[in-house]
């Protein structure tokens, strides 16, 4: 657990990042909810603030007065035990509070948190410290959501606005050849172990899990590889798709990953947070759904790994890769060291369900993860929009199989017979 | 037709009104499309500007360069003959152009229009003058839409923001008793006649129309009268409703007009452009659908008038009433002179179809009215959000029978046996 | 009004026709509701029987016991004042009562009606006689619905079953050239006049109606003429369509009338109640919606007539044409005498609303027509599935503008300048 | 694998059962598809026949001519690799082929199968034998579906028809107290092992799986126990439900299991295949969804078992219980021996995904199971509508978490700390 001092500096750093992410936005951009799955940037900024207000200031800061009596209604995301909340699909209709008022809300909560930190230094309270750390990880999750949602919001505008026109660009023109990491069969331990380090409830308890021998790709599938699938009519062959996926394709006739565009000459482009770019064949394919990842794996004669297979391999790899901190906000071609973390969340073949013996966080925080354990798939590894110090080997991300506005990619696996 | 000079001053006046209506808005408010029927205020401001650019500047101003190549795509509302356009339900997702950019667009078009007016003064062109007049009436229609849409946008926000907190309030505490204007049977002339005055294509040609003897209420139905219908279970009795209306009520369980709210003590309030107010029993009931108007009339043993019955009576009444210019932006109780114009558009029992011999405007302007002649009902009389100089006795407004976000009310009629 | 004696023989004749229409059906065919607008044949047979039971036997036959306590729930179509009823979209899910049970229901009601006729002969009761006549016209309406619905039910089956393989076929290979009936402007009387003859409430009262001078086509538009519209990309040109129609076309990409099919060689066929036939260019185009009729008229530079324009012309024509009694169950090419009645219901440009002074039937029968007076369009003239003695010059049929499973066609009109 | 002789007699037995299940039906009952998830009984009878025709007769019987060229289109359920097929939601609209024609189809295929059995006796062909066995298990699955679907079809009819009025009724008025089977932690083998016995592809390969120590209930949750959950407002407390479940409850406001009804006195009834019965508190609760099973388990402080936990316990229990063969067609109270098989399929907490190393059946039969491995949950144990010789310890049934028209119940588990 972090010391009060480092917790306070961590708090300042994390809170500042959220605002730095929003700095390039126009007031109007803060307002958009392009699909029901996304939220307006303004809403994210307020919601993470409400989280500190609700879980820390109200119960733990003496004499704290809530900033606005209706912000609970507006900025509670989904905590049923904390009262009714504004319906998610209508977040984009909230012109008020204005962006300025939301920043004032942030500032007021930050000031109150300063007082809470002071109180904590006098009277340490491990439970409060743990909740602050939870609040910080929560805000970091929303920083990634901010980037995903901003990308989508911008993509639906025919003017094709650009979030950051001076986003660094790598110009790497090759990829490491795919190599297979071999892992012997055996009984492995899975899940969060180091109790001195923060983790979500859904990563525990640590438990044995048997795995047969398998190979895991040391890098993600590239755009060039995915194009071969497309050119082989991958999107048109029912035999490659799950039944639910094929049904979904009939309603949403996808023919390529989200954000790809083709011009009249057949040249492919990709919309990025730095604007429209030539599709780089060496970069990992990005913004694919589970359904597409699964179909690609079937087409290429491999399969997606389970989350256990991924965790076992990456657990002893150094936690390094192309994270948010690197500033590219876009996946990069794999380098010699392999691509074990960062760049893109890799879909796994594992449905998101509790580990044996799972116990939710106490109180309303128990709604943080547990109640979403149905109909979703686990993704692993972090991405270029994830903060490095938010990441762990045991981290379980999860999305619906049809979702693809997140930074998601494909890692392959196969059995060793 | 207006002289070039008065046309120019009219242009300046009308254009200024649109911006004055938006002056109280925050940047965020410009962005909202609360239901698919409404448009963001920003979109209205740009669309009416696009109208002048498209119908006047491009064809008639020498060397005019369009302001932005994609604004046609974004701000064309529904003119199929002018190319593809952004889908209506997604207008609220356009963060860009920003509000500032839209005002810059307005300014650029206004400047170009100044050059067009100069050219017109040198070389009068009646066709161009007519189109300018059309553009001005078009913008005045959108001014009313702006007020309707702003009202709805604000209403969906749980913070209950107020558009104009200093909106004038009348405090009138009585209504004139309802009196019946009697009209003899006969063959009447209907439609626009004075060719020197502007009218839409749908008001012509003037044509004979036979009417049996009838009585027409000299004022609109009041809140008190409508409350009696509600208290008699008006919303729960199938026998009072059209079949389509009853079906609609099952999907949308309305129990009172739009914008009404009741507190725990049973006291009624009404959201207005000046904020939440006590329901004034003497004011005309506002924001009811055709279905509600029809059910009310059946309950009270009367009927809605046809549009012809209204036009015949009001045609020789002075064109005065509670219009936008009066600044209340809310209907008022009827005064001694009766309530023949203004306050609220009164639903008629007439479906919106062409007059015998109807000829649409020429060219793309032919899409202005004609293609909407199905499934809608005519409303007559103008309202507190309609500009006085936009109104005429022959004016035909039209909405779908389930619509009720417009300023619509109920006027009764009955046959003389 | 009919004498008790002729009423009884009319009753027997009408009831027998319903069963004759169903005679070619397999038990399974009685069960199908192919779209929400249609009803299973079994349901029609029971519903018309319920009508006699409810409006005649229960109130007027001494000691009558209802056949089954739940048949009111199942076979009430839409009479809200008679209690709750089974939802229309779920009529096809009622396996029970079986077809045999429905026929037993018919027989029991017929026997009870015999007793009522006997009572009537002893004690004439004009009100009861009027309701019997209403019940007979009601059953005749459902006979037409039976044929429409059977046609649709059969059409959705890939086996392409045939209702009547020995349906008479005319082999007429020419059409009379279109001629225009000219009608002078003037004040005409419209609506039902002869109070000794039956008519629905919606045809009254007779009232004056002014018409400008016009021409009315003496026959319906033919398949050949409609094909020219199709070949001129009629379905692809937005300028020909009403806005609501164009929106509907985007959801339902129609490219030809209902029941048309084209083979690989471009040859057109039409599904009829006698099976699939070569499209006969001389027959009137059938199974088009109002939207298609309106677009065709616009394309050809004419317009659809109003219902008044049709009634004024046909009122003094002999009531003859290709009706159900002729047994073709399909429209035929126009003969020299013109095509003023029968073959196909012609869409009019008139929305279905009450005549001035309209008074619904008394009691629950008031729900028969009045409550459907919104959002629908009037059709005139009867069709090849309408019984001759069910028809009158003043008859107002009505459907939604997108409906096209009824036997509907196009008659043109134009103004005389 | 079965000998040719026993295969033939098994064929005759299985085929006869399907027809025996349908014997109580009226022709009309064969036609109904009450919800999109069910199929008309007629369709089931034809589809299982098509399966033999397609996978056995066409490829393996010399000179076989297909019965009808369009039956492939009509009765292919979902095999994309075998060509297009009639859309599932429209199966209830197929009046033709008639019931008699479907029975003729069955007879023709049975006769051709006789010839195939004769050929097999001369020239044994293990692959063909395996496919026949697959076809028989396939038909047995559809026998269970027949019973489920018939139950649902009957339930939507307000006449409340009864499938089998003389269905045996047990009148057992007690249940064994719940006992917990304790299972030690360890590495277990999971999946199908005896290659001489038939199993579906999804039960293989056998593979190690680690389990922590746990307890498994020896019987299903009873109606009385479930009523306690209901009476504690179980359906109204968001904290008991998964987020997707709560969302589903808002759309479908369930307040009790499917087929339960309460009268005005608060007395509960349950619709069964033997008609409406008093709810027996000792019987296991039936027709609950995964969402309800999961919420109940959370409320009672336990959890659902994983499929591995169930398989490990039941694998060495005798395969006996209340199956189809017993003829009750309804679950019964648990007896002393416990309730390890039969009565009801028990929901597990395991999503339906492939076992490590899963290989689908070859050819089009590969579509049998594999492509459904997403978004569904595994159920274990068989039920009162499952044939005894169709069942195995390793059998994996699967449904969507919201489904509840199948015979599904709740078995509890808990960890041993």
């Amino acid at each position: 657990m972090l010391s009060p001092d480092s917790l306070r500096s961590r708090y300042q750093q994390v809170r500042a990042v959220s605002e730095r992410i929003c700095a390039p936005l126009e007031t109007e951009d803060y307002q958009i909810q392009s699909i029901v799955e996304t939220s307006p940037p303004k809403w994210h900024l307020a919601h993470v603030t409400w989280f500190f207000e609700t879980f820390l200031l109200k119960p733990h800061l003496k004499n704290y007065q809530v900033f606005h009596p209706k912000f609970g209604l507006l900025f509670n995301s989904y905590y049923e035990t904390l009262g009714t909340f504004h319906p998610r699909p209508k977040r984009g209709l909230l012109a008020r509070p204005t962006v300025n008022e939301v920043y004032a809300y942030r500032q007021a909560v930050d000031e109150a948190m300063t007082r809470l930190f002071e109180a904590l230094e006098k009277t340490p309270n491990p439970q409060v410290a743990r909740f602050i750390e939870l609040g910080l990880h929560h805000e970091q999750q929303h920083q990634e959501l901010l980037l995903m949602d901003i990308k989508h919001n911008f993509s639906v505008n025919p003017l094709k606005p650009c979030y950051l026109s001076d986003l660094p660009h790598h110009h790497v023109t090759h990829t490491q050849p795919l190599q297979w990491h071999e892992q012997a069969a055996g009984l492995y331990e899975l899940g969060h172990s180091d109790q001195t380090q923060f983790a979500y409830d859904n990563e525990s308890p640590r438990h044995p899990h048997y795995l047969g021998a398998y190979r895991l790709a040391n890098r993600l599938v590239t755009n060039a590889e995915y194009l071969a699938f497309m050119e082989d009519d991958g999107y048109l062959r029912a035999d490659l798709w799950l039944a639910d996926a094929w049904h979904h394709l009939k309603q949403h006739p996808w023919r390529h990953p989200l954000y790809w565009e083709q011009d009249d000459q057949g040249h492919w482009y990709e919309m990025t947070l730095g604007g429209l770019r030539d599709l780089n064949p060496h970069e990992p394919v990005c913004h694919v759904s589970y359904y597409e990842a699964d179909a690609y794996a079937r087409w290429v004669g491999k399969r997606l790994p389970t989350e256990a297979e991924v965790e076992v391999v990456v657990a002893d790899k150094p936690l390094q890769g192309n994270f948010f901190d690197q500033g590219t906000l876009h996946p990069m071609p794999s380098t010699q060291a392999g691509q074990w973390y960062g760049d893109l969340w890799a879909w796994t073949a594992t449905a998101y369900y509790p580990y044996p013996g799972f116990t939710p966080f106490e109180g309303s925080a128990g709604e943080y993860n547990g109640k979403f354990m149905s109909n979703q798939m686990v993704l692993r590894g972090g991405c270029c929009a994830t903060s490095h110090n938010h990441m762990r080997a045991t981290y379980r991300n999860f999305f619906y199989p049809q979702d693809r506005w997140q930074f998601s990619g494909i890692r392959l696996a196969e059995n060793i017979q």
Side-chain angles (χ1 to χ4, degrees), chain A:
Chain A
M1 206 179 315
L2 295 172
S3 70
D5 208 50
S6 62
L7 201 56
R8 183 211 291 244
S9 84
R10 180 108 202 271
Y11 178 89
Q12 289 161 345
Q13 179 260 330
V14 167
R15 296 283 288 170
V17 166
S18 299
E19 303 189 5
R20 203 160 69 238
I21 287 172
C22 293
L25 299 182
E26 298 284 350
T27 300
E28 291 86 343
D29 299 330
Y30 281 91
Q31 199 58 48
I32 306 296
Q33 180 177 32
S34 51
I35 45 173
V36 71
E37 288 87 353
T38 67
S39 297
K42 187 174 78 178
W43 188 92
H44 284 295
L45 289 181
H47 164 67
V48 293
T49 304
W50 165 87
F51 193 95
F52 284 109
E53 187 179 44
T54 303
F55 287 99
L56 278 308
L57 297 178
K58 282 174 66 177
H60 299 296
L61 183 62
K62 212 172 159 183
N63 298 326
Y64 179 75
Q65 298 293 318
V66 294
F67 184 79
H68 191 293
K70 288 207 170 166
F71 278 13
L73 172 67
L74 296 183
F75 299 122
N76 175 359
S77 52
Y78 54 65
Y79 295 85
E80 302 276 356
T81 53
L82 294 173
T84 54
F85 43 85
H86 194 66
R88 178 179 187 121
K90 296 184 182 291
R91 289 177 185 165
L93 303 184
L94 299 172
R96 315 290 182 92
T98 64
V99 172
N100 283 339
E101 287 163 349
V102 165
Y103 276 106
Y105 179 36
R106 289 183 67 88
Q107 195 175 345
V109 164
D110 286 346
E111 284 164 10
M113 284 296 292
T114 303
R115 299 203 299 281
L116 185 64
F117 281 115
E118 285 162 4
L120 270 187
E121 273 160 36
K122 286 184 200 137
T123 320
N125 181 332
Q127 191 206 351
V128 168
R130 267 196 306 273
F131 262 98
I132 293 174
E133 204 165 358
L134 176 61
L136 293 173
H137 279 286
H138 174 253
E139 183 144 351
Q140 288 186 308
Q141 272 192 287
H142 278 274
Q143 288 163 3
E144 182 169 333
L145 287 167
L146 269 168
L147 290 163
M148 289 159 50
D149 292 2
I150 288 169
K151 189 170 183 178
H152 198 277
N153 290 346
F154 277 59
S155 77
V156 302
N157 193 322
L159 297 180
K160 298 292 172 203
C162 174
Y163 166 65
L164 259 192
S165 53
D166 57 350
L167 192 71
H169 200 164
H170 56 79
H171 303 292
V172 180
T173 58
H174 65 283
T175 325
Q176 293 307 309
L178 189 154
Q179 291 181 319
W180 295 97
H181 174 99
E182 301 215 342
Q183 190 76 25
L187 195 60
Y188 292 93
E189 290 282 314
L190 202 67
H192 181 65
S193 55
D194 180 355
Q195 297 307 318
T196 67
Q197 297 298 313
F198 176 86
Y200 287 129
D201 51 4
N202 62 10
E203 302 167 49
S204 288
R206 191 156 173 89
H207 61 284
H209 186 91
Y210 182 83
L211 289 175
Y214 65 100
R215 293 188 193 90
L216 188 71
N218 75 331
R219 64 159 173 80
L220 301 164
V221 169
T222 65
N223 286 329
E225 289 161 349
Y226 196 81
L227 268 166
F229 163 76
M230 285 164 55
E231 285 161 5
D232 194 33
D233 285 338
Y235 279 99
L236 306 176
R237 290 171 44 191
D239 59 308
L240 297 174
W241 297 79
L242 291 163
D244 284 356
W246 192 244
H247 184 75
H248 193 267
L249 273 191
K250 285 188 186 156
Q251 317 291 322
H252 308 82
W254 295 338
R255 295 293 176 262
H256 52 74
L258 186 62
Y259 302 136
W260 286 29
E261 296 178 23
Q262 196 174 27
D263 68 15
D264 295 344
Q265 280 73 46
H267 191 75
W268 284 103
Y269 301 87
E270 184 180 17
M271 205 210 78
T272 74
L273 284 168
L276 202 68
R277 292 181 182 168
D278 288 334
L279 189 77
N280 182 334
H282 308 288
E283 288 175 1
V285 62
C286 189
H287 296 296
V288 288
S289 63
Y290 173 79
Y291 291 144
E292 289 163 298
D294 172 80
Y296 175 82
R298 190 168 294 112
W299 173 78
V300 83
K302 308 295 179 191
R303 62 173 175 81
L304 300 180
T306 65
E307 65 167 324
E309 288 173 336
V310 175
E311 184 171 321
V312 162
V313 170
V314 306
D316 53 12
K317 299 279 185 295
L319 181 52
Q320 59 195 35
N322 176 14
F323 286 111
F324 169 77
D325 317 68
Q326 191 164 320
T328 68
L329 302 185
H330 196 69
M332 291 178 59
S334 172
T335 63
Q336 272 180 315
Q339 203 165 22
W340 298 113
Y341 287 106
D343 286 307
L344 295 175
W345 292 99
W347 285 107
T348 74
T350 304
Y352 177 53
Y353 281 91
Y355 282 165
F358 165 67
T359 311
F361 287 138
E362 273 174 50
S364 292
E367 295 190 56
Y368 198 104
N369 280 308
K371 74 180 184 183
F372 300 106
M373 289 175 174
S374 79
N375 302 314
Q376 307 206 47
M377 302 301 293
V378 173
L379 299 97
R380 290 292 191 127
C383 76
C384 55
T386 316
S387 282
H388 178 267
N389 64 5
H390 177 61
M391 197 57 207
R392 302 167 291 282
T394 59
Y395 200 110
R396 308 175 80 195
N397 201 354
F398 50 92
F399 282 93
Y400 289 96
Q402 71 272 20
D403 289 338
R404 55 182 207 162
W405 92 104
Q406 74 280 24
F407 288 87
S408 52
I410 311 172
R411 183 184 299 280
L412 297 173
E414 66 179 354
N415 296 338
I416 298 177
Q417 304 301 339

